[in-house]
Every structure is written in C-alpha cells, then in structure tokens.
Amino acid sequence: MNILGLIERTGNRLPHPASLFFLGLCCIMVLSWLAAVLEWRVLHPASGTSLAANNLISRDGAWWLLSHLVENFIKFPPLAIVLVGMLGIGMAERTGLLATILRLVIVRTPQVMLTPVTLFLGIMSSLAVDAGYVVLPPIAAALYLAAGRSPLVGIAVAFAGVSAGFGANLFITALDPLLAGFTQSAATILVADYQVAVTANWWFMIASTLVLTLTGWWVTVRWVEPLSVHYPADQKAAGASAETAITAMEIRALYRALAALLLAVTIILLWIFLPEGVLHGEGNRFARWIEATVPLLFLVFVIPAIVFGVSIGNIRSDKDIADMMGATIAALGPYIVLAFFAAQFVEAFKYSSLGEMLAISGGLWLASLALPAPVLLVGFVMLAMLANLFIGSSSAKYAFLAPVFVPMLMLAGFSPELTQAAYRVGDSVTNVITPLNPYMIIVLAFVQQYAQKAGMGTLIAMMLPYTIAFALVWSLLLVGWLLLDIPLGPGGNLVFEFIQAAR
C-alpha cells in the first residue's frame, strides 16, 4: 500500500493535462533551439537527405506558431471525429437507452451465468462511455446479494469489465476514433499522407472481448470469490439498493428502438452492397464504409436513441434533442480544452522535425538491437500500464506517447495500428488499481454501502487479480495475433515497411 499511496500522491501533484501539454510545448521550443544551435542532424533512411531541427524560438519559428495556432486546433484529427461520434453516443446515453439495455440484460440472466454476463456487459458498456461505472456495479451487487453471494464480488466483477476491459468491445466505440486520430497524427510525422482507419483494431477487440470475459470469469471463480471471506459485507449497512425493475413502457420503447436500429442497419448494408450504393466501392486505401465509420456511428446511435426517447417521454420536441446534444458537447468541454493544447504540442513537434529525428534515431536504435518483436510489443504494453498509474486520462497519455512511439515503432517494423492496439491493452488493465481513476471513488462508495469499513486498499486488493490476469492473457493474445499474422481489423495491418511507404 505504500507504493500505491506514493503513486496516488505523485499523480495528484501532476499539473492538469492541458498544462502538461503547454509545458511540453515550451520544452519542444527549447529543445528545437538547442538542436539548432548544436547543429544536430539525422540521415533520412528513405531519401538519404540530412534532417535538421527547425528552431521554434527563431523569428520564422515563432511566426509559424502564431500564424498556425487556430489552424492547428481546427485540423487536429481527433477533435472533429470525437465530437461527431459523441453526439450520437451521448444521445443514446442521455435518453436512457443504453442504461436500460444494461439493466434489462443483467436482471434476466440465470444465476449460473451471472459472472460472465456481468463481465461481458461491463466490457460492452464502453459503448455508453461512462454509464457502466454508475449503472452496473450497484445492480450487480444487488443481484449477487439476492443470489446469496457476496455483493462485493458483484461490484468487483462489474468494475473489472467496465474498467480493466475498457479497451475492448464487439463494436466501434468512441475510443476508436479518438485513438485513431492521435495515431494518424503521429504516423504522419514519417509518412505525410498516412491514414488510420477507425476500424483498424476491430477484429482484435472482438476477440479481446471474448477472451477477457472468460479470463475474468476464471479469476472470479478461482481467486476473487474464495477470497471474498476476507472482505465481509455488512448486509445491514446496505441501505441503498439498485433499481433493477424494467417497466412495460421501457420494454415497448426498447422494441421500437430496436426496430429503428434494424431499419437503419438495413439501409446502411444496402448502401454498402448495392453497386449504386453510396458506400459501395473502394477509396484511396479503405472501403468507403470504413472511411465513413464516424458518421455511420453517429446514425446508428442517434436514430434508435431518438425513437427510444420519444417513446419513453424524454423527448417531446426537437428542442429536447438539441438540448441533449448540447449537453453532450458541454460535457466534452474539458476534452476540447485538452485538444487545443494537445494540437499545438503535436503540430509543433512535427514542425520542429524533432519528432521525425527522434523517431528515426530511436527506431534505428531499436532495430539495431534485433530484439524479438514480441519483446518490443510487450515492452510498450508495460510502458502504457506504468503511465496509466500516473496519468488517468487515456487521451492525455496517448497524446504524449503517440508522437514519439508510433513513428519509432514504425521504424522497428510495427504498424501504427499495432502500436495503437498495444496501447489499448496497457491503458485498460491497470485502470482498476490506479487511485487516479476518477471513478474509483464512485466504486468505493458502492463497496462501502455493503462494507462500511472498507477503504481504497480493500477495493485495490479485490481488483489486483484482474489486473495481473488481464495483463498476462491480453498481452499473450496480442503477441499471438502478431505471430499468426492476422489483420487487427479492416485497415489494420501488423507490419510497416518505412522505405516503401515513404516512396
């Protein structure tokens, strides 16, 4: 617990992520000046030209930064795709559609399947962004208690799925466009026109969902539930019970939303497969439907959400729809602020040429070590796990790591899409043990409803087996995927050949 306490105190002392990006920008300016003064040069492996740093403190460099301040923000790839995607997902969350689906599935699950279904729903709840943290743990606790099992185990199972399995899903979630935008920005440091598909990790994430569900089930049966006797629940202290009943009105609304979803999906499939369809054909690198994934994600969520909201009475006019979308964008205010400073950091890194020079130097050094590819891959997973203990925001961590490690690992032969998949693994598995996870306090409050004397140590001790097992199994799955040469998803290659791509 001393180590965990140190992590908590250290992480809490870090500046706000936006401030970190501003400080990072200042560091890049100083380093670009230093590199220019020392005349640091790197030989480009494809063109054979000598690269030198662009001094951001010089007259030309300072003018570039000022004149491109707005453009850097507007053209920041993750910004628009996250905002558009979240409009649809936010509607599904704010109308109550996603929360109702979670409640319906879990309350109708047989007791013998309670653990795997809770895990599976926890992993899938990333579709609802953060709703899983609030909805699933109290419902799981109530159902486990009713089944004569420890409610703390129910909370642990739900938390493991929602948080440690956050990077996996059967479907494209808001995380996919966010990470793809950062990955693409980083990859263009080496290849100016490189594109990363939103679907690049899809097949791997589908397999991860199933593997993590089975892994979490085994961990619960083998470790967590037998050890639950050490964390006795005071049932008298469970003053609050979760609302699990599904009303007839909600059922009717769900049926109507399902019908609307099926209609929307049918139209999309016709667009894809009919020769004259809007989405039929090939683009520059991806099929049209892959290029339009974010708009399709918006439609697939917003259409059934509106139907559900109208049916349930949450939407009475177009004003309600606009208000819900406005509330979604308002909730993204901190992300927009973060994106502004991250955009300046990333673009300044590119302009200075430090990103390309560091990537080439570091990548060639990694290649010279001749380390087995699995070792490099697992090493990056462990780096992401460590970073997650100190910086809670997934986007903030990746915005720092991607510009350095995506191009560096490209030169070592890893595709940007593979580096992104490795980051998702490392970023997820330690979520349940880092005190910097903002939802740890919420989950701890649920635990204390059943065990008043429980503290952060109790929660972390319950969740540690999931972190260890998920980290091991998920890393092995990723390494196996690489060795078997299976595409990570549509547009998700495993390897990268820099010289050919650069030409």
Side-chain angles (χ1 to χ4, degrees):
M1 288 308 297
N2 290 334
I3 295 177
L4 294 172
L6 177 63
I7 290 172
E8 182 176 14
R9 290 191 298 272
T10 303
N12 288 335
R13 291 190 183 119
L14 289 175
H16 188 278
S19 300
L20 287 175
F21 281 116
F22 175 75
L23 293 173
L25 174 61
C26 294
C27 289
I28 289 172
M29 295 175 69
V30 172
L31 289 175
S32 68
W33 168 80
L34 186 62
V37 169
L38 297 178
E39 298 183 348
W40 180 36
R41 294 183 179 276
V42 173
L43 188 66
H44 196 288
S47 62
T49 58
S50 179
L51 296 176
N54 292 318
N55 185 358
L56 281 164
I57 298 182
S58 67
R59 180 174 182 270
D60 291 340
W63 167 245
W64 175 89
L65 187 59
L66 288 172
S67 62
H68 286 75
L69 199 72
V70 176
E71 181 182 345
N72 291 343
F73 181 49
I74 293 174
K75 294 185 177 181
F76 191 49
L79 179 62
I81 55 180
V82 169
L83 294 181
V84 173
M86 282 302 300
L87 280 177
I89 295 173
M91 281 294 296
E93 183 180 8
R94 293 178 185 279
T95 57
L97 172 60
L98 293 174
T100 303
I101 292 174
L102 291 176
R103 286 165 48 214
L104 176 66
V105 173
I106 198 168
V107 300
R108 297 193 175 184
T109 299
Q111 288 188 16
V112 68
M113 295 298 293
L114 191 55
T115 294
V117 169
T118 302
L119 278 161
F120 176 77
L121 286 178
I123 295 171
M124 294 297 294
S125 72
S126 58
L127 283 167
V129 194
D130 298 329
Y133 285 100
V134 179
V135 175
L136 271 185
I139 295 177
L143 292 176
Y144 271 70
L145 185 61
R149 302 164 70 179
S150 171
L152 300 189
V153 174
I155 294 172
V157 170
F159 190 31
V162 172
S163 201
F166 177 73
N169 210 288
L170 296 183
F171 304 107
I172 300 298
T173 71
L175 184 65
D176 291 276
L178 186 150
L179 294 183
F182 283 119
T183 305
Q184 181 169 311
S185 290
T188 56
I189 291 176
L190 289 186
V191 182
D193 59 349
Y194 198 93
Q195 290 182 303
V196 177
V198 172
T199 56
N201 294 155
W202 198 359
W203 306 148
F204 178 68
M205 290 303 112
I206 290 174
S208 298
T209 301
L210 303 177
V211 170
L212 292 181
T213 298
L214 295 176
T215 302
W217 189 5
W218 181 84
V219 170
T220 304
V221 173
R222 180 66 179 83
W223 296 103
V224 177
E225 197 144 24
L227 290 174
S228 64
V229 295
H230 298 292
Y231 316 114
D234 180 6
Q235 296 185 14
K236 294 180 180 179
S241 60
E243 177 61 42
T244 59
I246 306 295
T247 66
M249 179 183 292
E250 288 174 325
I251 294 294
R252 288 194 299 271
L254 282 176
Y255 277 124
R256 292 169 184 170
L258 177 61
L261 175 62
L262 291 176
L263 178 60
V265 171
T266 299
I267 293 173
I268 291 171
L269 290 176
L270 290 175
W271 282 350
I272 293 173
F273 291 108
L274 290 179
E276 300 301 321
V278 175
L279 301 176
H280 184 78
E282 297 292 331
N284 294 330
R285 182 181 174 195
F286 310 119
R288 279 190 172 184
W289 71 270
I290 297 177
E291 294 185 36
T293 300
V294 175
L296 293 178
L297 183 70
F298 168 77
L299 293 174
V300 164
F301 277 98
V302 78
I303 292 172
I306 291 175
V307 172
F308 181 86
V310 171
S311 302
I312 208 73
N314 290 339
I315 296 178
R316 294 181 175 84
S317 69
D318 61 325
K319 183 178 181 298
D320 293 327
I321 298 176
D323 287 344
M324 288 182 181
M325 288 187 174
T328 298
I329 296 298
L332 290 172
Y335 170 76
I336 296 173
V337 173
L338 177 69
F340 173 79
F341 289 99
Q344 311 310 324
F345 170 82
V346 171
E347 292 304 317
F349 202 40
K350 288 182 184 178
Y351 174 83
S352 69
S353 294
L354 288 176
E356 189 173 4
M357 295 167 74
L358 285 171
I360 292 173
S361 300
L364 293 177
W365 176 72
L366 285 176
S368 69
L369 295 178
L371 293 174
V375 174
L376 285 177
L377 197 60
V378 174
F380 182 69
V381 170
M382 295 179 67
L383 176 65
M385 290 172 60
L386 181 63
N388 195 38
L389 294 176
F390 294 94
I391 304 176
S393 169
S394 176
S395 57
K397 282 194 302 292
Y398 198 50
F400 273 116
L401 295 176
V404 175
F405 288 96
V406 168
M408 186 181 295
L409 292 174
M410 286 168 71
L411 284 171
F414 291 171
S415 70
E417 295 83 1
L418 180 58
T419 302
Q420 177 180 291
Y423 173 77
R424 296 176 78 145
V425 174
D427 179 56
S428 297
V429 296
T430 48
N431 277 337
V432 291
I433 62 169
T434 172
L436 299 182
N437 182 345
Y439 293 98
M440 288 283 281
I441 300 300
I442 295 177
V443 176
L444 179 60
F446 292 140
V447 169
Q448 290 176 338
Q449 289 179 359
Y450 297 92
Q452 292 180 331
K453 296 181 179 180
M456 189 67 75
T458 303
L459 180 57
I460 292 175
M462 287 196 303
M463 303 312 301
L464 190 57
Y466 292 105
T467 291
I468 295 172
F470 278 25
L472 178 61
V473 173
W474 209 350
S475 297
L476 289 175
L477 178 65
L478 183 61
V479 169
W481 212 273
L482 175 64
L483 296 178
L484 294 174
D485 195 25
I486 305 172
L488 292 164
N493 298 322
L494 291 167
V495 298
F496 178 83
E497 296 181 7
F498 175 65
I499 294 178
Q500 292 183 4
R503 290 175 179 171

